[in-house]
Amino acid sequence: MTIENVSQAKVFGGWHKQYHHQSSSLNCQMRFAIYLPPEASADNPVPVLYWLSGLTCTDENFMQKAGAFRMAAKLGIAIVAPDTSPRGEGVADDPEGAYDFGLGAGFYVNATQAPWNQHYRMYSYVVDELPKLIEQHFPVTQVRSISGHSMGGHGALTIGLKNSDRYRSISAFSPISNPMNCPWGQKALSQYLGNNTDDWKQYDSAELLKSKMTTLPILVDQGEDDGFLQEQLKPELLLAAAEISGSDIKLRMQPGYDHSYFFIQSFIEDHLRFHAGFLKD
């Protein structure tokens, strides 16, 4: 698996770098970004936090806006941020150009319906292909945690819950907690997976938590002034599902905060310290 360096910049003694590569999971060229802390070397590989971004985003939103590098450098944690969907010529998109489906809106599922199943396999990309690529080319260990925002919070939760042997901890900002019961999720899941709602449950955090207890530590932050809170995000359903299975989730409702990266900036260092406690034990 070969990669091509696109850009790089030194920051807090470490390096932020972007790369292109040809993805076998997605059948297109993909871009990802990685932050390597100063201590990362062949003799001293470091653990990795995978970050999944939300609707309309690329790898750049988190890396440029979250303000995560100072703490990542201090804690000795690498951060990897993939794109949010396949892209390029021949990759299907919403015919009306809507922001919540198609390009920029992969929802971290493996699509089963045509034409989406030709490229939209973000679940396999994040779980299998990307970690293998990262561990082949960079001084990192196989010790991983996962986090994300909004659609990416949904992705981090579902991927972490379904692959508890691959991750040490999970966190999320403003996740789409129960996509089967919100407009964003219903639109995406019906078109990517078809109309059988039983097939949707494997990509729904609340449904996954209802059915099986998890021992993974989970931290969720949600802004109380988030405009999407009531209709799309519904964190109370995630908490109720965790109570059914006896899973332990820490949900923090943050007064005055919205859905933006100002919110993420305000609490990202808390999340990095949370993950460090499990990545470096």
Short mmCIF file of all heavy atoms in Angstrom, two decimals, residues 218-278:
data_model
loop_
_atom_site.label_atom_id
_atom_site.label_comp_id
_atom_site.label_asym_id
_atom_site.label_seq_id
_atom_site.Cartn_x
_atom_site.Cartn_y
_atom_site.Cartn_z
N ILE A 218 -16.72 5.25 27.68
CA ILE A 218 -17.31 6.13 26.67
C ILE A 218 -17.59 7.49 27.29
O ILE A 218 -18.23 7.59 28.35
CB ILE A 218 -18.62 5.55 26.12
CG1 ILE A 218 -18.38 4.18 25.47
CG2 ILE A 218 -19.25 6.50 25.10
CD1 ILE A 218 -19.64 3.48 25.02
N LEU A 219 -17.12 8.55 26.62
CA LEU A 219 -17.39 9.93 27.03
C LEU A 219 -18.10 10.65 25.89
O LEU A 219 -17.65 10.62 24.74
CB LEU A 219 -16.07 10.65 27.33
CG LEU A 219 -16.15 12.16 27.58
CD1 LEU A 219 -16.98 12.48 28.82
CD2 LEU A 219 -14.75 12.77 27.69
N VAL A 220 -19.23 11.30 26.21
CA VAL A 220 -20.00 12.06 25.22
C VAL A 220 -20.22 13.47 25.75
O VAL A 220 -20.69 13.64 26.89
CB VAL A 220 -21.35 11.39 24.92
CG1 VAL A 220 -22.17 12.24 23.96
CG2 VAL A 220 -21.14 10.00 24.36
N ASP A 221 -19.89 14.46 24.93
CA ASP A 221 -20.21 15.85 25.25
C ASP A 221 -21.26 16.36 24.27
O ASP A 221 -21.15 16.13 23.05
CB ASP A 221 -18.96 16.74 25.16
CG ASP A 221 -18.21 16.82 26.46
OD1 ASP A 221 -18.86 17.00 27.50
OD2 ASP A 221 -16.96 16.71 26.45
N GLN A 222 -22.26 17.07 24.80
CA GLN A 222 -23.34 17.60 23.98
C GLN A 222 -23.67 19.02 24.42
O GLN A 222 -23.90 19.26 25.61
CB GLN A 222 -24.59 16.73 24.11
CG GLN A 222 -25.84 17.30 23.44
CD GLN A 222 -25.68 17.41 21.95
OE1 GLN A 222 -25.48 16.42 21.26
NE2 GLN A 222 -25.78 18.63 21.42
N GLY A 223 -23.67 19.95 23.48
CA GLY A 223 -24.05 21.32 23.78
C GLY A 223 -25.55 21.47 23.95
O GLY A 223 -26.33 20.98 23.13
N GLU A 224 -25.97 22.17 24.99
CA GLU A 224 -27.40 22.35 25.24
C GLU A 224 -28.05 23.32 24.26
O GLU A 224 -29.27 23.29 24.08
CB GLU A 224 -27.63 22.83 26.68
CG GLU A 224 -27.33 21.76 27.72
CD GLU A 224 -27.70 22.19 29.13
OE1 GLU A 224 -28.14 23.35 29.31
OE2 GLU A 224 -27.55 21.36 30.04
N ASP A 225 -27.25 24.20 23.62
CA ASP A 225 -27.79 25.15 22.66
C ASP A 225 -27.55 24.71 21.21
O ASP A 225 -27.59 25.52 20.29
CB ASP A 225 -27.19 26.54 22.88
CG ASP A 225 -27.79 27.23 24.10
OD1 ASP A 225 -28.56 26.58 24.83
OD2 ASP A 225 -27.48 28.41 24.31
N ASP A 226 -27.32 23.43 21.02
CA ASP A 226 -27.13 22.85 19.70
C ASP A 226 -28.46 22.87 18.95
O ASP A 226 -29.46 22.30 19.42
CB ASP A 226 -26.63 21.41 19.86
CG ASP A 226 -26.17 20.77 18.57
OD1 ASP A 226 -26.78 21.02 17.52
OD2 ASP A 226 -25.19 20.00 18.63
N GLY A 227 -28.48 23.49 17.77
CA GLY A 227 -29.72 23.59 17.01
C GLY A 227 -30.24 22.27 16.49
O GLY A 227 -31.41 22.18 16.10
N PHE A 228 -29.39 21.24 16.48
CA PHE A 228 -29.81 19.92 16.00
C PHE A 228 -30.18 18.96 17.13
O PHE A 228 -30.53 17.80 16.88
CB PHE A 228 -28.67 19.28 15.18
CG PHE A 228 -28.24 20.09 14.00
CD1 PHE A 228 -26.98 20.68 13.96
CD2 PHE A 228 -29.09 20.29 12.92
CE1 PHE A 228 -26.57 21.42 12.86
CE2 PHE A 228 -28.68 21.03 11.81
CZ PHE A 228 -27.42 21.60 11.79
N LEU A 229 -30.12 19.44 18.36
CA LEU A 229 -30.23 18.57 19.52
C LEU A 229 -31.53 17.76 19.53
O LEU A 229 -31.50 16.53 19.65
CB LEU A 229 -30.12 19.41 20.80
CG LEU A 229 -30.29 18.68 22.13
CD1 LEU A 229 -29.27 17.56 22.27
CD2 LEU A 229 -30.17 19.68 23.29
N GLN A 230 -32.66 18.41 19.41
CA GLN A 230 -33.94 17.73 19.59
C GLN A 230 -34.33 16.84 18.42
O GLN A 230 -34.80 15.71 18.61
CB GLN A 230 -35.04 18.77 19.84
CG GLN A 230 -34.81 19.65 21.05
CD GLN A 230 -34.71 18.85 22.34
OE1 GLN A 230 -35.40 17.84 22.51
NE2 GLN A 230 -33.85 19.28 23.26
N GLU A 231 -34.11 17.33 17.20
CA GLU A 231 -34.59 16.60 16.03
C GLU A 231 -33.63 15.51 15.56
O GLU A 231 -34.06 14.42 15.14
CB GLU A 231 -34.84 17.57 14.86
CG GLU A 231 -35.42 16.89 13.63
CD GLU A 231 -35.69 17.85 12.49
OE1 GLU A 231 -34.99 18.87 12.38
OE2 GLU A 231 -36.60 17.58 11.70
N GLN A 232 -32.30 15.78 15.63
CA GLN A 232 -31.34 14.89 14.99
C GLN A 232 -30.47 14.09 15.95
O GLN A 232 -30.10 12.95 15.64
CB GLN A 232 -30.40 15.71 14.07
CG GLN A 232 -31.10 16.56 13.02
CD GLN A 232 -31.60 15.73 11.84
OE1 GLN A 232 -31.56 14.50 11.84
NE2 GLN A 232 -32.08 16.41 10.81
N LEU A 233 -30.10 14.63 17.10
CA LEU A 233 -29.04 14.04 17.91
C LEU A 233 -29.55 13.15 19.04
O LEU A 233 -29.04 12.05 19.24
CB LEU A 233 -28.15 15.16 18.47
CG LEU A 233 -27.59 16.10 17.39
CD1 LEU A 233 -26.74 17.20 18.03
CD2 LEU A 233 -26.78 15.34 16.35
N LYS A 234 -30.48 13.61 19.84
CA LYS A 234 -31.21 12.81 20.83
C LYS A 234 -30.31 11.99 21.76
O LYS A 234 -30.44 10.77 21.86
CB LYS A 234 -32.20 11.88 20.11
CG LYS A 234 -33.16 12.64 19.19
CD LYS A 234 -34.17 11.73 18.55
CE LYS A 234 -35.13 12.53 17.67
NZ LYS A 234 -36.18 11.69 17.06
N PRO A 235 -29.40 12.63 22.49
CA PRO A 235 -28.50 11.89 23.37
C PRO A 235 -29.22 11.17 24.50
O PRO A 235 -28.69 10.20 25.05
CB PRO A 235 -27.57 12.98 23.90
CG PRO A 235 -28.35 14.26 23.79
CD PRO A 235 -29.15 14.10 22.54
N GLU A 236 -30.40 11.62 24.86
CA GLU A 236 -31.15 10.95 25.93
C GLU A 236 -31.48 9.50 25.55
O GLU A 236 -31.58 8.63 26.42
CB GLU A 236 -32.42 11.73 26.26
CG GLU A 236 -33.52 11.71 25.22
CD GLU A 236 -33.31 12.66 24.05
OE1 GLU A 236 -32.28 13.38 24.03
OE2 GLU A 236 -34.20 12.70 23.16
N LEU A 237 -31.63 9.23 24.25
CA LEU A 237 -31.91 7.87 23.80
C LEU A 237 -30.67 6.98 23.92
O LEU A 237 -30.78 5.78 24.18
CB LEU A 237 -32.44 7.88 22.37
CG LEU A 237 -33.74 8.66 22.15
CD1 LEU A 237 -34.17 8.58 20.69
CD2 LEU A 237 -34.84 8.15 23.06
N LEU A 238 -29.52 7.58 23.75
CA LEU A 238 -28.26 6.84 23.94
C LEU A 238 -28.10 6.47 25.40
O LEU A 238 -27.75 5.33 25.74
CB LEU A 238 -27.09 7.70 23.48
CG LEU A 238 -25.72 7.04 23.43
CD1 LEU A 238 -25.66 6.00 22.32
CD2 LEU A 238 -24.63 8.09 23.21
N LEU A 239 -28.39 7.40 26.27
CA LEU A 239 -28.27 7.15 27.71
C LEU A 239 -29.29 6.10 28.16
O LEU A 239 -28.96 5.20 28.94
CB LEU A 239 -28.48 8.45 28.48
CG LEU A 239 -27.92 8.52 29.89
CD1 LEU A 239 -26.42 8.30 29.90
CD2 LEU A 239 -28.27 9.86 30.53
N ALA A 240 -30.50 6.18 27.64
CA ALA A 240 -31.53 5.19 28.00
C ALA A 240 -31.13 3.79 27.53
O ALA A 240 -31.35 2.80 28.23
CB ALA A 240 -32.87 5.59 27.38
N ALA A 241 -30.54 3.70 26.34
CA ALA A 241 -30.09 2.41 25.83
C ALA A 241 -28.98 1.83 26.69
O ALA A 241 -28.95 0.62 26.95
CB ALA A 241 -29.62 2.57 24.38
N ALA A 242 -28.07 2.69 27.13
CA ALA A 242 -26.98 2.23 27.99
C ALA A 242 -27.52 1.69 29.31
O ALA A 242 -27.00 0.70 29.86
CB ALA A 242 -26.00 3.37 28.23
N GLU A 243 -28.55 2.33 29.83
CA GLU A 243 -29.15 1.86 31.08
C GLU A 243 -29.80 0.49 30.92
O GLU A 243 -29.76 -0.35 31.82
CB GLU A 243 -30.15 2.90 31.58
CG GLU A 243 -29.48 4.19 32.05
CD GLU A 243 -30.49 5.28 32.40
OE1 GLU A 243 -31.71 5.04 32.18
OE2 GLU A 243 -30.07 6.35 32.86
N ILE A 244 -30.38 0.24 29.76
CA ILE A 244 -31.01 -1.05 29.50
C ILE A 244 -29.99 -2.18 29.56
O ILE A 244 -30.25 -3.25 30.14
CB ILE A 244 -31.74 -1.03 28.14
CG1 ILE A 244 -32.97 -0.13 28.20
CG2 ILE A 244 -32.12 -2.45 27.70
CD1 ILE A 244 -33.62 0.11 26.85
N SER A 245 -28.83 -1.97 28.97
CA SER A 245 -27.82 -3.03 28.90
C SER A 245 -26.85 -3.01 30.07
O SER A 245 -26.02 -3.91 30.21
CB SER A 245 -27.03 -2.93 27.60
OG SER A 245 -26.29 -1.71 27.55
N GLY A 246 -26.92 -1.97 30.90
CA GLY A 246 -25.98 -1.85 32.01
C GLY A 246 -24.63 -1.32 31.60
O GLY A 246 -23.63 -1.50 32.32
N SER A 247 -24.57 -0.65 30.46
CA SER A 247 -23.32 -0.06 29.99
C SER A 247 -23.10 1.28 30.68
O SER A 247 -24.04 1.98 31.04
CB SER A 247 -23.36 0.14 28.48
OG SER A 247 -23.57 -1.09 27.80
N ASP A 248 -21.84 1.64 30.84
CA ASP A 248 -21.48 2.87 31.54
C ASP A 248 -21.05 3.93 30.53
O ASP A 248 -20.02 3.79 29.88
CB ASP A 248 -20.33 2.59 32.52
CG ASP A 248 -20.00 3.81 33.37
OD1 ASP A 248 -20.85 4.72 33.45
OD2 ASP A 248 -18.90 3.86 33.94
N ILE A 249 -21.87 4.96 30.38
CA ILE A 249 -21.56 6.08 29.50
C ILE A 249 -21.60 7.36 30.31
O ILE A 249 -22.52 7.59 31.09
CB ILE A 249 -22.58 6.19 28.35
CG1 ILE A 249 -22.39 5.06 27.35
CG2 ILE A 249 -22.43 7.52 27.61
CD1 ILE A 249 -23.30 5.16 26.15
N LYS A 250 -20.58 8.18 30.12
CA LYS A 250 -20.59 9.50 30.75
C LYS A 250 -21.06 10.52 29.72
O LYS A 250 -20.37 10.79 28.74
CB LYS A 250 -19.18 9.87 31.25
CG LYS A 250 -19.17 11.18 32.03
CD LYS A 250 -17.81 11.44 32.67
CE LYS A 250 -17.86 12.68 33.55
NZ LYS A 250 -16.53 12.94 34.18
N LEU A 251 -22.26 11.06 29.92
CA LEU A 251 -22.83 12.09 29.05
C LEU A 251 -22.79 13.41 29.78
O LEU A 251 -23.37 13.55 30.87
CB LEU A 251 -24.27 11.74 28.68
CG LEU A 251 -25.07 12.83 27.95
CD1 LEU A 251 -24.45 13.17 26.61
CD2 LEU A 251 -26.53 12.40 27.79
N ARG A 252 -22.11 14.40 29.18
CA ARG A 252 -22.01 15.73 29.78
C ARG A 252 -22.78 16.72 28.91
O ARG A 252 -22.41 16.96 27.76
CB ARG A 252 -20.54 16.16 29.90
CG ARG A 252 -19.68 15.15 30.65
CD ARG A 252 -18.30 15.69 30.99
NE ARG A 252 -17.57 16.22 29.86
CZ ARG A 252 -16.30 16.65 29.91
NH1 ARG A 252 -15.63 16.60 31.06
NH2 ARG A 252 -15.69 17.12 28.83
N MET A 253 -23.84 17.28 29.45
CA MET A 253 -24.58 18.33 28.77
C MET A 253 -23.94 19.67 29.11
O MET A 253 -23.82 20.03 30.29
CB MET A 253 -26.04 18.30 29.18
CG MET A 253 -26.77 16.99 28.85
SD MET A 253 -26.83 16.61 27.09
CE MET A 253 -27.79 17.99 26.46
N GLN A 254 -23.51 20.40 28.09
CA GLN A 254 -22.73 21.61 28.29
C GLN A 254 -23.57 22.85 27.99
O GLN A 254 -23.89 23.13 26.83
CB GLN A 254 -21.48 21.59 27.39
CG GLN A 254 -20.59 20.36 27.59
CD GLN A 254 -19.85 20.37 28.93
OE1 GLN A 254 -20.03 21.27 29.75
NE2 GLN A 254 -19.00 19.38 29.16
N PRO A 255 -23.94 23.62 29.02
CA PRO A 255 -24.81 24.79 28.82
C PRO A 255 -24.18 25.84 27.91
O PRO A 255 -22.99 26.17 28.04
CB PRO A 255 -24.98 25.35 30.25
CG PRO A 255 -24.65 24.21 31.15
CD PRO A 255 -23.61 23.40 30.44
N GLY A 256 -24.98 26.35 26.97
CA GLY A 256 -24.58 27.46 26.12
C GLY A 256 -23.83 27.09 24.86
O GLY A 256 -23.65 27.94 23.98
N TYR A 257 -23.40 25.84 24.74
CA TYR A 257 -22.59 25.45 23.58
C TYR A 257 -23.46 24.94 22.44
O TYR A 257 -24.51 24.32 22.65
CB TYR A 257 -21.57 24.37 23.98
CG TYR A 257 -20.45 24.94 24.81
CD1 TYR A 257 -20.52 24.93 26.20
CD2 TYR A 257 -19.33 25.50 24.20
CE1 TYR A 257 -19.49 25.46 26.98
CE2 TYR A 257 -18.30 26.03 24.97
CZ TYR A 257 -18.39 26.00 26.35
OH TYR A 257 -17.38 26.54 27.11
N ASP A 258 -22.97 25.18 21.19
CA ASP A 258 -23.72 24.80 20.00
C ASP A 258 -23.07 23.60 19.33
O ASP A 258 -22.38 22.81 19.97
CB ASP A 258 -23.85 26.00 19.05
CG ASP A 258 -22.49 26.55 18.60
OD1 ASP A 258 -21.46 25.85 18.74
OD2 ASP A 258 -22.47 27.69 18.07
N HIS A 259 -23.24 23.48 18.03
CA HIS A 259 -22.77 22.31 17.27
C HIS A 259 -21.42 22.55 16.60
O HIS A 259 -20.93 21.68 15.89
CB HIS A 259 -23.82 21.97 16.20
CG HIS A 259 -23.74 20.58 15.64
ND1 HIS A 259 -24.06 19.46 16.37
CD2 HIS A 259 -23.37 20.12 14.40
CE1 HIS A 259 -23.91 18.37 15.62
NE2 HIS A 259 -23.49 18.74 14.43
N SER A 260 -20.82 23.69 16.83
CA SER A 260 -19.67 24.13 16.03
C SER A 260 -18.34 23.64 16.58
O SER A 260 -18.26 23.04 17.66
CB SER A 260 -19.64 25.65 15.96
OG SER A 260 -19.26 26.18 17.22
N TYR A 261 -17.28 23.97 15.85
CA TYR A 261 -15.93 23.65 16.31
C TYR A 261 -15.49 24.53 17.48
O TYR A 261 -14.51 24.21 18.15
CB TYR A 261 -14.92 23.71 15.16
CG TYR A 261 -14.74 22.34 14.55
CD1 TYR A 261 -15.63 21.87 13.58
CD2 TYR A 261 -13.72 21.49 14.96
CE1 TYR A 261 -15.49 20.60 13.04
CE2 TYR A 261 -13.57 20.23 14.43
CZ TYR A 261 -14.46 19.79 13.48
OH TYR A 261 -14.31 18.52 12.96
N PHE A 262 -16.21 25.62 17.77
CA PHE A 262 -15.95 26.35 19.01
C PHE A 262 -16.24 25.45 20.21
O PHE A 262 -15.54 25.46 21.22
CB PHE A 262 -16.80 27.62 19.07
CG PHE A 262 -16.47 28.62 18.01
CD1 PHE A 262 -17.39 28.95 17.03
CD2 PHE A 262 -15.23 29.24 17.97
CE1 PHE A 262 -17.10 29.87 16.05
CE2 PHE A 262 -14.92 30.17 16.99
CZ PHE A 262 -15.85 30.48 16.02
N PHE A 263 -17.29 24.66 20.09
CA PHE A 263 -17.64 23.68 21.13
C PHE A 263 -16.54 22.62 21.25
O PHE A 263 -16.07 22.30 22.35
CB PHE A 263 -18.99 23.05 20.77
CG PHE A 263 -19.40 21.90 21.62
CD1 PHE A 263 -19.31 21.94 23.01
CD2 PHE A 263 -19.94 20.76 21.03
CE1 PHE A 263 -19.72 20.86 23.79
CE2 PHE A 263 -20.36 19.68 21.80
CZ PHE A 263 -20.23 19.73 23.18
N ILE A 264 -16.11 22.08 20.11
CA ILE A 264 -15.07 21.05 20.14
C ILE A 264 -13.78 21.60 20.72
O ILE A 264 -13.14 20.95 21.56
CB ILE A 264 -14.85 20.49 18.72
CG1 ILE A 264 -16.11 19.77 18.24
CG2 ILE A 264 -13.65 19.54 18.69
CD1 ILE A 264 -16.09 19.36 16.79
N GLN A 265 -13.37 22.79 20.31
CA GLN A 265 -12.17 23.42 20.86
C GLN A 265 -12.21 23.49 22.39
O GLN A 265 -11.20 23.33 23.06
CB GLN A 265 -12.02 24.85 20.34
CG GLN A 265 -11.48 25.00 18.95
CD GLN A 265 -11.34 26.48 18.62
OE1 GLN A 265 -10.89 27.28 19.43
NE2 GLN A 265 -11.74 26.84 17.40
N SER A 266 -13.39 23.76 22.91
CA SER A 266 -13.53 24.00 24.35
C SER A 266 -13.30 22.75 25.18
O SER A 266 -12.91 22.85 26.35
CB SER A 266 -14.93 24.55 24.64
OG SER A 266 -15.16 25.77 23.95
N PHE A 267 -13.53 21.57 24.61
CA PHE A 267 -13.46 20.33 25.39
C PHE A 267 -12.55 19.26 24.79
O PHE A 267 -12.46 18.17 25.35
CB PHE A 267 -14.87 19.78 25.60
CG PHE A 267 -15.77 20.71 26.35
CD1 PHE A 267 -16.70 21.50 25.67
CD2 PHE A 267 -15.66 20.85 27.73
CE1 PHE A 267 -17.52 22.39 26.35
CE2 PHE A 267 -16.48 21.74 28.42
CZ PHE A 267 -17.41 22.52 27.73
N ILE A 268 -11.87 19.56 23.69
CA ILE A 268 -11.05 18.54 23.05
C ILE A 268 -9.92 18.08 23.97
O ILE A 268 -9.55 16.90 23.96
CB ILE A 268 -10.50 19.03 21.69
CG1 ILE A 268 -9.84 17.87 20.93
CG2 ILE A 268 -9.53 20.20 21.86
CD1 ILE A 268 -10.76 16.73 20.58
N GLU A 269 -9.37 18.96 24.77
CA GLU A 269 -8.28 18.54 25.65
C GLU A 269 -8.79 17.57 26.72
O GLU A 269 -8.07 16.64 27.11
CB GLU A 269 -7.58 19.75 26.26
CG GLU A 269 -6.83 20.57 25.22
CD GLU A 269 -5.89 21.59 25.82
OE1 GLU A 269 -5.87 21.74 27.07
OE2 GLU A 269 -5.17 22.25 25.05
N ASP A 270 -10.02 17.77 27.18
CA ASP A 270 -10.63 16.79 28.09
C ASP A 270 -10.69 15.42 27.44
O ASP A 270 -10.40 14.40 28.07
CB ASP A 270 -12.05 17.21 28.46
CG ASP A 270 -12.11 18.35 29.45
OD1 ASP A 270 -11.04 18.81 29.90
OD2 ASP A 270 -13.23 18.77 29.78
N HIS A 271 -11.08 15.39 26.18
CA HIS A 271 -11.22 14.12 25.48
C HIS A 271 -9.86 13.46 25.26
O HIS A 271 -9.73 12.24 25.39
CB HIS A 271 -11.95 14.32 24.15
CG HIS A 271 -13.43 14.50 24.30
ND1 HIS A 271 -14.35 13.69 23.71
CD2 HIS A 271 -14.14 15.43 25.00
CE1 HIS A 271 -15.58 14.09 24.02
NE2 HIS A 271 -15.47 15.15 24.81
N LEU A 272 -8.86 14.25 24.93
CA LEU A 272 -7.52 13.68 24.73
C LEU A 272 -6.98 13.10 26.04
O LEU A 272 -6.40 12.01 26.05
CB LEU A 272 -6.58 14.73 24.17
CG LEU A 272 -6.86 15.15 22.73
CD1 LEU A 272 -6.03 16.37 22.36
CD2 LEU A 272 -6.56 14.01 21.76
N ARG A 273 -7.19 13.81 27.14
CA ARG A 273 -6.73 13.27 28.43
C ARG A 273 -7.52 12.01 28.80
O ARG A 273 -6.96 11.06 29.35
CB ARG A 273 -6.88 14.34 29.52
CG ARG A 273 -5.81 15.42 29.46
CD ARG A 273 -5.87 16.31 30.70
NE ARG A 273 -7.06 17.16 30.67
CZ ARG A 273 -7.07 18.42 30.27
NH1 ARG A 273 -5.96 19.00 29.86
NH2 ARG A 273 -8.20 19.11 30.28
N PHE A 274 -8.81 12.01 28.49
CA PHE A 274 -9.63 10.82 28.73
C PHE A 274 -9.06 9.62 27.98
O PHE A 274 -8.84 8.55 28.57
CB PHE A 274 -11.07 11.11 28.27
CG PHE A 274 -11.95 9.92 28.12
CD1 PHE A 274 -12.52 9.31 29.23
CD2 PHE A 274 -12.26 9.40 26.86
CE1 PHE A 274 -13.35 8.21 29.10
CE2 PHE A 274 -13.09 8.29 26.73
CZ PHE A 274 -13.63 7.70 27.86
N HIS A 275 -8.79 9.78 26.69
CA HIS A 275 -8.25 8.67 25.91
C HIS A 275 -6.84 8.28 26.37
O HIS A 275 -6.52 7.07 26.39
CB HIS A 275 -8.25 9.03 24.43
CG HIS A 275 -9.60 9.10 23.82
ND1 HIS A 275 -10.43 8.00 23.73
CD2 HIS A 275 -10.29 10.14 23.27
CE1 HIS A 275 -11.57 8.35 23.14
NE2 HIS A 275 -11.51 9.65 22.87
N ALA A 276 -6.03 9.25 26.73
CA ALA A 276 -4.66 8.95 27.14
C ALA A 276 -4.63 8.02 28.34
O ALA A 276 -3.72 7.19 28.49
CB ALA A 276 -3.91 10.24 27.47
N GLY A 277 -5.62 8.14 29.21
CA GLY A 277 -5.67 7.27 30.38
C GLY A 277 -5.82 5.80 30.04
O GLY A 277 -5.47 4.93 30.85
N PHE A 278 -6.33 5.51 28.83
CA PHE A 278 -6.50 4.13 28.39
C PHE A 278 -5.49 3.72 27.32
O PHE A 278 -5.12 2.56 27.22
CB PHE A 278 -7.92 3.92 27.88
CG PHE A 278 -8.97 4.32 28.88
CD1 PHE A 278 -9.62 5.54 28.79
CD2 PHE A 278 -9.27 3.48 29.94
CE1 PHE A 278 -10.56 5.92 29.74
CE2 PHE A 278 -10.22 3.85 30.89
CZ PHE A 278 -10.85 5.07 30.79
#
